[in-house]
Amino acid sequence: MPIVVDIDVMLARRKMSVRELADRVGITPANLAVLKNGRAKAVRFSTLAALCEVLTCQPGDLLRWEAEDVVGAGDTVGAGGTVGAPGE
């Protein structure tokens, strides 16, 4: 998945445990672990806001996007960065 969760980085910077963060945010440690390990399919804005408040950070400190290789086998990148089949 191209979205990477960096909660563990912020926990280390704040010298805070997963259990403490979960308690302060109001979610279970198991649900926080799912989010922290990148297995979550979604996150509520209220949860994200609570994480940012407790960790005194911005959403971009917790979430980042990593580009995946979008050019498939046999595809070429044309002028302007468009992707298409060879010869298009």
XYZ file of all heavy atoms in Angstrom:
638
model
N 0.847 -1.179 0.000
C 0.000 0.000 0.000
C 0.889 1.238 0.000
O 1.866 1.295 0.728
C -0.912 -0.018 1.226
C -1.743 1.234 1.353
S -2.862 1.235 2.732
C -4.220 0.373 1.998
N 0.533 2.228 -0.772
C 1.397 3.397 -0.877
C 1.325 4.353 0.322
O 2.146 5.240 0.431
C 0.914 4.092 -2.147
C -0.480 3.629 -2.331
C -0.542 2.256 -1.750
N 0.363 4.178 1.225
C 0.299 5.021 2.423
C 1.045 4.317 3.550
O 0.742 3.182 3.887
C -1.153 5.310 2.860
C -1.937 5.994 1.742
C -1.180 6.121 4.154
C -1.420 7.381 1.379
N 2.031 4.997 4.125
C 2.851 4.439 5.196
C 2.519 5.181 6.484
O 2.418 6.409 6.497
C 4.353 4.591 4.866
C 5.215 4.059 6.000
C 4.674 3.885 3.562
N 2.343 4.420 7.561
C 2.017 4.996 8.863
C 3.288 5.038 9.711
O 3.945 4.016 9.896
C 0.919 4.168 9.578
C 0.563 4.784 10.911
C -0.314 4.039 8.689
N 3.625 6.218 10.200
C 4.855 6.408 10.978
C 4.581 6.684 12.461
O 5.301 7.455 13.102
C 5.668 7.572 10.394
C 6.335 7.201 9.084
O 6.709 6.028 8.921
O 6.495 8.092 8.230
N 3.560 6.041 13.009
C 3.254 6.248 14.424
C 4.421 5.786 15.297
O 4.741 6.435 16.296
C 1.951 5.523 14.818
C 0.758 6.229 14.174
C 1.787 5.479 16.333
C -0.564 5.558 14.405
N 5.073 4.707 14.912
C 6.196 4.205 15.716
C 7.326 5.228 15.820
O 7.976 5.336 16.857
C 6.711 2.873 15.176
C 7.045 2.897 13.696
O 6.631 3.838 13.000
O 7.708 1.960 13.238
N 7.527 6.008 14.762
C 8.554 7.054 14.788
C 8.192 8.111 15.828
O 9.025 8.515 16.642
C 8.718 7.696 13.388
C 9.643 8.898 13.440
C 9.211 6.668 12.384
N 6.925 8.533 15.804
C 6.481 9.553 16.757
C 6.486 9.018 18.188
O 6.817 9.746 19.124
C 5.088 10.067 16.387
C 5.044 10.808 15.069
S 6.226 12.176 14.962
C 5.561 13.282 16.174
N 6.142 7.748 18.361
C 6.193 7.149 19.700
C 7.616 7.168 20.240
O 7.843 7.492 21.405
C 5.666 5.711 19.671
C 4.155 5.545 19.578
C 3.805 4.085 19.336
C 3.474 6.056 20.831
N 8.568 6.833 19.408
C 9.968 6.828 19.838
C 10.430 8.244 20.187
O 11.109 8.440 21.205
C 10.856 6.239 18.737
N 10.038 9.223 19.375
C 10.431 10.610 19.647
C 9.840 11.120 20.957
O 10.450 11.923 21.648
C 9.979 11.530 18.513
C 10.781 11.364 17.255
C 10.309 12.317 16.194
N 11.065 12.121 14.973
C 10.723 12.623 13.798
N 9.639 13.372 13.685
N 11.450 12.400 12.739
N 8.632 10.658 21.269
C 7.952 11.111 22.486
C 8.229 10.204 23.681
O 7.720 10.442 24.769
C 6.425 11.167 22.262
C 5.970 12.055 21.118
C 6.310 13.517 21.339
N 5.731 14.381 20.328
C 6.363 14.824 19.244
N 7.602 14.454 18.993
N 5.768 15.629 18.390
N 9.001 9.137 23.438
C 9.300 8.151 24.494
C 8.003 7.681 25.161
O 7.870 7.671 26.387
C 10.270 8.722 25.517
C 11.633 9.040 24.927
C 12.574 9.602 25.969
C 13.970 9.777 25.467
N 14.190 10.683 24.381
N 7.061 7.266 24.307
C 5.736 6.862 24.758
C 5.464 5.433 24.294
O 5.881 5.045 23.200
C 4.690 7.822 24.165
C 3.290 7.628 24.688
S 2.099 8.777 23.919
C 2.726 10.347 24.472
N 4.775 4.661 25.108
C 4.431 3.290 24.740
C 3.126 3.267 23.946
O 2.333 4.216 23.988
C 4.277 2.430 25.991
O 3.114 2.817 26.710
N 2.924 2.177 23.242
C 1.669 1.980 22.509
C 0.506 2.004 23.491
O -0.531 2.619 23.226
C 1.698 0.651 21.718
C 0.332 0.328 21.144
C 2.736 0.717 20.603
N 0.668 1.370 24.634
C -0.387 1.302 25.661
C -0.755 2.713 26.150
O -1.928 3.053 26.248
C 0.087 0.435 26.817
C -0.763 0.483 28.053
C -2.153 0.004 27.804
N -2.455 -1.120 28.649
C -3.422 -1.949 28.389
N -4.135 -1.814 27.311
N -3.695 -2.939 29.189
N 0.254 3.537 26.428
C -0.013 4.899 26.896
C -0.729 5.713 25.826
O -1.695 6.432 26.117
C 1.282 5.594 27.312
C 1.062 7.003 27.835
C 2.342 7.729 28.186
O 3.434 7.125 28.145
O 2.253 8.931 28.498
N -0.257 5.622 24.584
C -0.891 6.365 23.499
C -2.338 5.914 23.317
O -3.235 6.746 23.191
C -0.112 6.200 22.194
C -0.679 6.927 20.974
C -0.756 8.438 21.210
C 0.146 6.624 19.738
N -2.563 4.624 23.311
C -3.925 4.097 23.155
C -4.833 4.610 24.265
O -5.966 5.041 24.003
C -3.896 2.574 23.135
N -4.353 4.577 25.500
C -5.151 5.062 26.633
C -5.478 6.540 26.482
O -6.617 6.958 26.712
C -4.419 4.828 27.955
C -4.382 3.363 28.365
O -5.147 2.550 27.798
O -3.564 3.029 29.250
N -4.500 7.334 26.091
C -4.692 8.785 25.984
C -5.579 9.162 24.796
O -6.295 10.159 24.857
C -3.353 9.494 25.919
C -2.589 9.392 27.254
C -1.241 10.027 27.231
N -1.337 11.469 26.999
C -0.285 12.257 26.865
N 0.937 11.751 26.935
N -0.436 13.540 26.654
N -5.535 8.360 23.722
C -6.351 8.631 22.538
C -7.764 8.081 22.719
O -8.716 8.627 22.180
C -5.681 8.043 21.268
C -6.607 8.073 20.076
C -4.403 8.797 20.967
N -7.891 7.007 23.490
C -9.201 6.404 23.707
C -9.531 5.285 22.740
O -10.693 5.066 22.400
N -8.502 4.566 22.280
C -8.713 3.392 21.439
C -7.990 2.216 22.079
O -7.156 2.395 22.962
C -8.227 3.601 19.983
C -6.717 3.879 19.924
C -8.999 4.726 19.319
C -6.183 3.998 18.501
N -8.308 1.013 21.629
C -7.664 -0.159 22.209
C -6.233 -0.284 21.683
O -5.951 0.130 20.551
C -8.427 -1.448 21.860
O -8.351 -1.678 20.452
C -9.886 -1.372 22.304
N -5.351 -0.859 22.481
C -3.988 -1.102 21.981
C -3.984 -1.973 20.723
O -3.153 -1.771 19.841
C -3.300 -1.802 23.152
C -4.046 -1.334 24.360
C -5.474 -1.196 23.904
N -4.936 -2.904 20.627
C -5.006 -3.767 19.438
C -5.338 -2.944 18.195
O -4.727 -3.136 17.126
C -6.045 -4.862 19.642
N -6.294 -2.030 18.305
C -6.642 -1.178 17.155
C -5.502 -0.231 16.802
O -5.251 0.032 15.623
C -7.918 -0.394 17.425
C -9.155 -1.251 17.286
O -9.119 -2.305 16.654
N -10.243 -0.818 17.880
N -4.808 0.267 17.803
C -3.648 1.123 17.530
C -2.554 0.324 16.828
O -1.912 0.819 15.902
C -3.116 1.746 18.821
C -1.933 2.700 18.644
C -2.264 3.841 17.696
C -1.491 3.240 19.991
N -2.360 -0.927 17.232
C -1.354 -1.781 16.595
C -1.704 -2.037 15.133
O -0.820 -2.039 14.267
C -1.223 -3.100 17.351
N -2.990 -2.230 14.827
C -3.424 -2.427 13.443
C -3.074 -1.193 12.610
O -2.545 -1.300 11.506
C -4.939 -2.723 13.375
C -5.470 -2.621 11.958
C -5.220 -4.112 13.936
N -3.334 -0.024 13.154
C -3.002 1.222 12.454
C -1.496 1.391 12.335
O -0.964 1.684 11.259
C -3.614 2.404 13.208
C -3.382 3.782 12.613
C -3.944 3.872 11.197
C -4.000 4.840 13.494
N -0.790 1.171 13.430
C 0.662 1.362 13.478
C 1.393 0.432 12.505
O 2.381 0.821 11.891
C 1.158 1.112 14.907
C 2.629 1.360 15.123
C 3.015 1.205 16.580
C 3.323 -0.179 16.994
N 4.561 -0.736 16.503
N 0.892 -0.775 12.345
C 1.555 -1.759 11.493
C 1.101 -1.700 10.037
O 1.477 -2.547 9.228
C 1.350 -3.167 12.053
C 2.024 -3.331 13.395
O 3.096 -2.794 13.624
N 1.397 -4.055 14.303
N 0.282 -0.703 9.702
C -0.119 -0.515 8.309
C -1.172 -1.480 7.819
O -1.361 -1.631 6.612
N -1.891 -2.127 8.724
C -2.919 -3.091 8.319
C -4.318 -2.479 8.296
O -5.267 -3.143 7.893
C -2.890 -4.304 9.234
C -1.607 -5.108 9.138
C -1.689 -6.427 9.894
N -2.270 -6.303 11.206
C -1.592 -6.214 12.348
N -0.274 -6.213 12.310
N -2.206 -6.130 13.506
N -4.466 -1.227 8.699
C -5.776 -0.574 8.730
C -6.209 -0.215 7.312
O -5.397 0.185 6.484
C -5.728 0.672 9.596
N -7.479 -0.355 7.038
C -8.040 0.023 5.739
C -8.487 1.482 5.741
O -8.644 2.088 4.696
C -9.241 -0.866 5.395
C -8.897 -2.331 5.298
C -8.061 -2.605 4.084
C -7.804 -4.102 3.982
N -6.657 -4.405 3.188
N -8.722 2.042 6.937
C -9.192 3.425 7.060
C -8.865 3.930 8.455
O -8.577 3.143 9.354
C -10.704 3.479 6.834
N -8.925 5.243 8.598
C -8.763 5.859 9.916
C -9.736 7.028 9.990
O -9.868 7.795 9.035
C -7.303 6.309 10.184
C -6.839 7.332 9.186
C -7.148 6.823 11.594
N -10.456 7.119 11.086
C -11.394 8.230 11.263
C -10.615 9.510 11.506
O -9.582 9.503 12.169
C -12.308 7.956 12.455
C -13.293 6.870 12.197
C -14.322 6.819 13.315
N -15.382 5.926 12.934
C -15.812 4.922 13.666
N -15.290 4.704 14.858
N -16.783 4.151 13.237
N -11.152 10.615 10.976
C -10.508 11.906 11.207
C -10.451 12.229 12.690
O -9.491 12.837 13.156
C -11.228 13.027 10.454
C -10.913 13.063 8.978
C -11.817 13.606 8.090
C -9.717 12.572 8.466
C -11.538 13.661 6.730
C -9.425 12.623 7.126
C -10.339 13.166 6.250
N -11.464 11.823 13.441
C -11.458 12.092 14.884
C -10.318 11.341 15.571
O -9.679 11.875 16.482
C -12.798 11.722 15.513
O -13.103 10.357 15.300
N -10.031 10.127 15.114
C -8.910 9.356 15.668
C -7.588 9.998 15.272
O -6.683 10.145 16.096
C -8.959 7.891 15.187
O -10.209 7.318 15.577
C -7.812 7.085 15.757
N -7.478 10.399 14.015
C -6.261 11.067 13.539
C -6.034 12.364 14.302
O -4.905 12.653 14.725
C -6.359 11.323 12.034
C -5.135 11.923 11.356
C -3.901 11.059 11.552
C -5.423 12.128 9.875
N -7.097 13.112 14.522
C -6.982 14.372 15.269
C -6.546 14.104 16.710
O -5.694 14.820 17.255
C -8.314 15.121 15.252
N -7.094 13.060 17.337
C -6.712 12.721 18.705
C -5.251 12.284 18.771
O -4.525 12.658 19.699
C -7.625 11.620 19.252
N -4.801 11.505 17.793
C -3.393 11.099 17.741
C -2.492 12.327 17.630
O -1.481 12.432 18.334
C -3.146 10.160 16.557
C -3.688 8.744 16.688
C -3.690 8.042 15.330
C -2.878 7.954 17.698
N -2.865 13.245 16.747
C -2.063 14.461 16.566
C -2.048 15.312 17.831
O -1.009 15.879 18.183
C -2.598 15.270 15.388
S -2.275 14.484 13.794
N -3.178 15.386 18.521
C -3.241 16.182 19.746
C -2.333 15.588 20.821
O -1.545 16.300 21.439
C -4.677 16.247 20.258
C -4.832 17.115 21.483
C -6.276 17.240 21.927
O -7.190 16.911 21.152
O -6.484 17.676 23.073
N -2.427 14.272 21.021
C -1.623 13.619 22.054
C -0.141 13.666 21.709
O 0.711 13.897 22.570
C -2.090 12.159 22.273
C -1.135 11.400 23.165
C -3.506 12.140 22.860
N 0.191 13.465 20.439
C 1.591 13.430 20.014
C 2.122 14.816 19.634
O 3.291 14.937 19.265
C 1.755 12.466 18.834
C 1.483 10.995 19.152
C 1.423 10.174 17.865
C 2.542 10.441 20.097
N 1.276 15.825 19.724
C 1.619 17.197 19.311
C 2.355 17.209 17.967
O 3.522 17.591 17.872
C 2.438 17.954 20.386
O 3.641 17.231 20.650
C 1.645 18.148 21.661
N 1.627 16.746 16.956
C 2.192 16.669 15.614
C 1.115 16.970 14.591
O -0.042 17.185 14.939
C 2.813 15.291 15.374
S 1.611 13.942 15.341
N 1.489 16.973 13.344
C 0.576 17.168 12.226
C 0.261 15.808 11.594
O 1.066 14.869 11.711
C 1.220 18.074 11.170
C 1.450 19.497 11.648
C 0.144 20.213 11.893
O -0.765 20.173 11.068
N 0.049 20.872 13.042
N -0.888 15.673 10.896
C -1.210 14.399 10.233
C -0.086 13.911 9.311
O 0.177 12.716 9.234
C -2.481 14.723 9.444
C -3.124 15.818 10.214
C -1.974 16.642 10.752
N 0.596 14.835 8.652
C 1.704 14.466 7.769
C 2.897 13.873 8.500
O 3.755 13.250 7.875
N 2.958 14.064 9.821
C 4.015 13.442 10.614
C 3.702 11.960 10.857
O 4.602 11.177 11.155
C 4.176 14.139 11.962
C 4.628 15.583 11.814
O 5.392 15.870 10.871
O 4.209 16.411 12.641
N 2.431 11.604 10.734
C 1.999 10.228 10.998
C 1.761 9.422 9.729
O 1.906 8.205 9.733
C 0.703 10.230 11.821
C 0.767 10.917 13.168
C -0.605 10.915 13.821
C 1.797 10.260 14.063
N 1.383 10.101 8.651
C 1.049 9.424 7.397
C 1.879 10.001 6.266
O 2.054 11.212 6.175
C -0.435 9.628 7.063
C -1.445 9.187 8.102
C -2.844 9.621 7.691
C -1.397 7.687 8.314
N 2.369 9.131 5.402
C 3.078 9.608 4.213
C 2.762 8.684 3.051
O 2.405 7.525 3.234
C 4.574 9.724 4.445
C 5.288 8.447 4.739
C 6.755 8.703 5.084
N 7.288 7.599 5.820
C 7.845 6.521 5.257
N 7.939 6.447 3.951
N 8.305 5.545 6.002
N 2.900 9.225 1.869
C 2.622 8.491 0.645
C 3.925 8.099 -0.019
O 4.823 8.929 -0.170
C 1.798 9.365 -0.296
C 1.482 8.724 -1.606
C 0.579 7.727 -1.837
C 2.051 9.038 -2.869
N 0.559 7.411 -3.167
C 1.461 8.205 -3.825
C 3.020 9.953 -3.280
C 1.789 8.250 -5.175
C 3.349 9.995 -4.622
C 2.736 9.159 -5.552
N 4.031 6.830 -0.382
C 5.187 6.340 -1.141
C 4.689 5.874 -2.492
O 3.806 5.026 -2.568
C 5.865 5.173 -0.412
C 6.734 5.591 0.736
C 7.559 4.426 1.286
O 7.392 3.274 0.831
O 8.354 4.681 2.184
N 5.253 6.428 -3.536
C 4.835 6.065 -4.890
C 5.169 4.615 -5.172
O 6.228 4.119 -4.794
C 5.514 6.969 -5.909
N 4.235 3.951 -5.830
C 4.483 2.583 -6.293
C 4.883 2.655 -7.759
O 4.640 3.643 -8.438
C 3.216 1.740 -6.139
C 2.839 1.476 -4.708
C 1.592 0.606 -4.602
O 0.880 0.444 -5.606
O 1.347 0.109 -3.512
N 5.489 1.597 -8.250
C 5.848 1.527 -9.660
C 4.566 1.369 -10.466
O 3.941 0.323 -10.454
C 6.784 0.344 -9.900
C 7.262 0.252 -11.338
O 7.092 1.240 -12.075
O 7.788 -0.798 -11.704
N 4.139 2.443 -11.149
C 2.880 2.416 -11.883
C 3.060 2.025 -13.342
O 2.101 1.802 -14.042
C 2.145 3.782 -11.807
C 1.737 4.082 -10.398
C 3.006 4.882 -12.375
N 4.285 1.930 -13.812
C 4.539 1.550 -15.196
C 4.650 0.035 -15.248
O 5.540 -0.553 -14.658
C 5.830 2.213 -15.736
C 6.084 1.773 -17.165
C 5.722 3.715 -15.643
N 3.694 -0.601 -15.932
C 3.689 -2.053 -16.039
C 4.604 -2.544 -17.133
O 5.158 -1.777 -17.915
N 4.761 -3.847 -17.215
C 5.609 -4.452 -18.236
C 5.057 -4.126 -19.620
O 3.868 -4.256 -19.874
C 5.667 -5.959 -18.038
N 5.892 -3.644 -20.493
C 5.485 -3.329 -21.849
C 4.925 -1.929 -22.009
O 4.663 -1.494 -23.111
N 4.677 -1.229 -20.915
C 4.176 0.141 -20.988
C 5.355 1.095 -21.129
O 6.458 0.804 -20.705
C 3.388 0.521 -19.730
C 2.027 -0.149 -19.676
O 1.606 -0.741 -20.687
O 1.381 -0.085 -18.607
N 5.075 2.217 -21.704
C 6.088 3.259 -21.804
C 5.535 4.541 -21.202
O 4.328 4.734 -21.147
C 6.478 3.523 -23.274
O 5.315 3.938 -23.990
C 7.082 2.292 -23.917
N 6.420 5.385 -20.779
C 6.012 6.698 -20.286
C 6.222 7.675 -21.424
O 7.339 7.874 -21.893
C 6.832 7.105 -19.042
C 6.410 8.486 -18.579
C 6.657 6.089 -17.932
N 5.112 8.277 -21.873
C 5.176 9.198 -22.993
C 5.467 10.615 -22.551
O 5.706 10.885 -21.374
N 5.413 11.528 -23.506
C 5.641 12.945 -23.217
C 4.610 13.410 -22.201
O 3.451 13.029 -22.239
C 5.543 13.764 -24.498
N 5.039 14.214 -21.280
C 4.145 14.716 -20.250
C 3.911 13.733 -19.133
O 3.077 13.932 -18.277
N 4.630 12.602 -19.142
C 4.510 11.641 -18.052
C 3.315 10.716 -18.153
O 2.981 10.024 -17.214
N 2.625 10.695 -19.315
C 1.486 9.819 -19.453
C 1.954 8.390 -19.706
O 2.988 8.157 -20.306
C 0.572 10.272 -20.599
O 1.338 10.276 -21.800
C -0.015 11.638 -20.327
N 1.174 7.449 -19.221
C 1.525 6.038 -19.370
C 0.592 5.423 -20.383
O -0.617 5.603 -20.349
C 1.391 5.297 -18.014
C 1.679 3.813 -18.187
C 2.305 5.898 -16.987
N 1.151 4.674 -21.289
C 0.336 3.987 -22.291
C 1.092 2.811 -22.858
O 2.241 2.560 -22.527
N 0.408 2.089 -23.737
C 1.050 0.964 -24.397
C 2.076 1.511 -25.382
O 1.976 2.651 -25.834
C 0.009 0.122 -25.125
N 3.078 0.702 -25.715
C 4.081 1.164 -26.679
C 3.417 1.649 -27.971
O 2.502 1.025 -28.478
C 4.931 -0.081 -26.932
C 4.761 -0.909 -25.703
C 3.357 -0.640 -25.238
N 3.865 2.771 -28.444
C 3.342 3.313 -29.686
C 2.158 4.235 -29.525
O 1.700 4.834 -30.475
N 1.639 4.354 -28.321
C 0.494 5.247 -28.101
C 0.958 6.659 -27.848
O 1.962 6.941 -27.307
C -0.329 4.797 -26.894
C -1.138 3.578 -27.180
C -2.094 3.250 -26.021
O -1.955 3.775 -24.928
O -2.961 2.419 -26.257
